Amino acid sequence: MTARTAVLAGLGSALPPRVVTNHDLTARMDTSDEWIRTRTGIAERRIVDPGTATSDLAIEAGRRALDSAGEPDVGAVVLATATPDHPCPATGPTVAAGLGLGTVPAFDVGAVCSGFLYALATGAGLIASSVADSVLVVGADAFTTIVDPYDRNTAPIFADGAGAVVLRAGRADEPGALRRTELASDGLQADLIRVAAGGSRQRSHHSAALREDQYLTMRGGEVFKNAVLRMTEASRTVLDRTGWSTADVDLLVGHQANVRILHAVAEQLGIGQERAYVNIGHTGNTAAASIPLALDDAHGEGRLRAGDKVLLTAFGAGTTWGAITLTWPEGLQYTGLPRSAAA
């Protein structure tokens, strides 16, 4: 018997309407458009309005992915997020209900900026084990809700958004098939990127959290070095397992954390920058949403054709990292709106 394989069948994304440019940030912090662009590659980002939650973005992206796939009978929902609507319950069931999917199993995966890859692997596992014939995988974050808006080290980087894919059961040899996966973590480096307050560690003291502990902190230099190292390692491993060389890769789609990280990973792998997709200029770092958002943008721009060999890779808090190989499907419908980077 041929093993069941997860095949990409639908794709969608969502961004909140509010645009914040680098020039907008200069009104409240000591920074400049040139400083931000030079260090991150970001020109603008999208920010949720008051009252908008992660589930709202996830539902919009999920609906577009379902439309793209032709409204399949989805058997499960996997949501990757670091900013759930509430600490309890999980946000996945809210997304499933918002999409009218009834009582399908739905749950959250927490691996921060690597979350979409972890969720994609989980969805593929549900299909491979015959738990579901079709799975909606969403990466969504309202990440600015955990970022200090006056911190010049983090506020220019992070943004909000959602991206989603529909996976269906299929064959390993057909276009759209997920090929190989490499996932890893190192909890000894958990303090590289974290929010100190809000969890059981802080709440068990039964005292109010300090303001600064409620926001994300990041040791940028160490994150940069580790991201390049781990994304490169995972990419090489998964390419070897797939039987691909770097020359075979038609498009490298990395987590959109920093343009310098993306270019460094491409250089380490020997993949030309023309084959390394970048859309961070107009999205910012949207955490778990960044890879599916990038895939949707690349698809809308005509950068992906049926049968193209695609390499996905990410690094995030935890620390977590990974890489996945897949081929691009035939006839995938584009449901998003064209978005071009700011000049």
Side-chain angles (χ1 to χ4, degrees):
M1 295 180 60
T2 302
R4 286 164 57 98
T5 299
V7 176
L8 182 63
L11 176 64
S13 64
L15 288 172
R18 182 183 171 198
V19 178
V20 176
T21 68
N22 292 344
H23 295 292
D24 294 330
L25 294 179
T26 63
R28 67 171 186 256
M29 66 182 67
D30 180 19
T31 190
S32 68
D33 175 63
E34 181 184 8
W35 190 91
I36 297 170
R37 285 181 188 251
T38 301
R39 286 158 179 78
T40 69
I42 299 169
E44 63 182 34
R45 72 284 295 146
R46 301 294 185 95
I47 307 297
V48 293
D49 289 322
T52 299
T54 293
S55 64
D56 299 315
L57 299 172
I59 289 169
E60 183 180 350
R63 170 55 58 197
R64 291 183 177 178
L66 292 170
D67 289 345
S68 172
E71 294 287 343
D73 185 15
V74 171
V77 175
V78 183
L79 171 66
T81 187
T83 56
D85 288 8
H86 309 281
C88 176
T91 303
T94 301
V95 174
L99 291 169
L101 299 178
T103 59
V104 300
F107 55 94
D108 296 0
V109 170
V112 198
C113 294
S114 301
F116 182 73
L117 296 190
Y118 273 69
L120 200 60
T122 302
L126 293 175
I127 288 173
S129 58
S130 298
V131 171
D133 292 326
S134 183
V135 178
L136 175 66
V137 179
V138 186
D141 271 305
F143 214 79
T144 60
T145 61
I146 59 172
V147 171
D148 184 342
Y150 300 100
D151 181 359
R152 71 191 296 267
N153 295 313
T154 57
I157 298 172
F158 292 99
D160 307 323
V165 300
V166 174
L167 301 177
R168 63 164 176 83
R171 305 185 318 274
D173 61 349
E174 65 178 296
L178 272 61
R179 300 295 300 274
R180 294 290 185 271
T181 299
E182 168 71 6
L183 301 175
S185 72
D186 182 4
L188 296 177
Q189 299 195 84
D191 62 342
L192 289 187
I193 312 167
R194 73 168 186 167
V195 178
S200 61
R201 182 71 65 191
Q202 175 264 318
R203 291 180 180 223
S204 66
H205 291 289
H206 302 289
S207 58
L210 298 174
R211 178 188 182 277
E212 57 267 28
D213 287 343
Q214 299 179 54
Y215 293 119
L216 177 137
T217 59
M218 181 172 64
R219 286 154 50 187
E222 292 177 66
V223 170
F224 186 101
K225 290 185 290 185
N226 277 274
V228 174
L229 173 66
R230 297 305 194 181
M231 290 167 71
T232 301
E233 287 180 345
S235 295
R236 286 175 174 156
T237 298
V238 82
L239 287 172
D240 184 61
R241 291 178 179 173
T242 309
W244 294 352
S245 70
T246 53
D248 293 324
V249 175
D250 294 297
L251 199 66
L252 166 64
V253 181
H255 165 54
Q256 304 290 306
N258 181 306
V259 71
R260 293 186 299 140
I261 291 176
L262 294 168
H263 287 166
V265 171
E267 182 179 0
Q268 291 287 322
L269 292 172
I271 293 175
Q273 290 185 13
E274 73 281 359
R275 290 187 287 142
Y277 188 75
V278 176
N279 73 338
I280 193 174
H282 69 274
T283 64
N285 180 343
T286 56
S290 80
I291 285 180
L293 271 168
L295 286 173
D296 201 28
D297 274 1
H299 178 49
E301 294 170 10
R303 293 285 303 274
L304 289 162
R305 298 169 295 179
D308 275 359
K309 295 178 174 64
V310 182
L311 170 63
L312 312 178
T313 186
F315 177 88
T319 55
T320 59
W321 63 90
I324 291 178
T325 52
L326 69 146
T327 55
W328 200 248
E330 294 176 329
L332 188 65
Q333 182 181 351
Y334 178 63
T335 61
L337 298 174
R339 296 188 289 266
S340 58

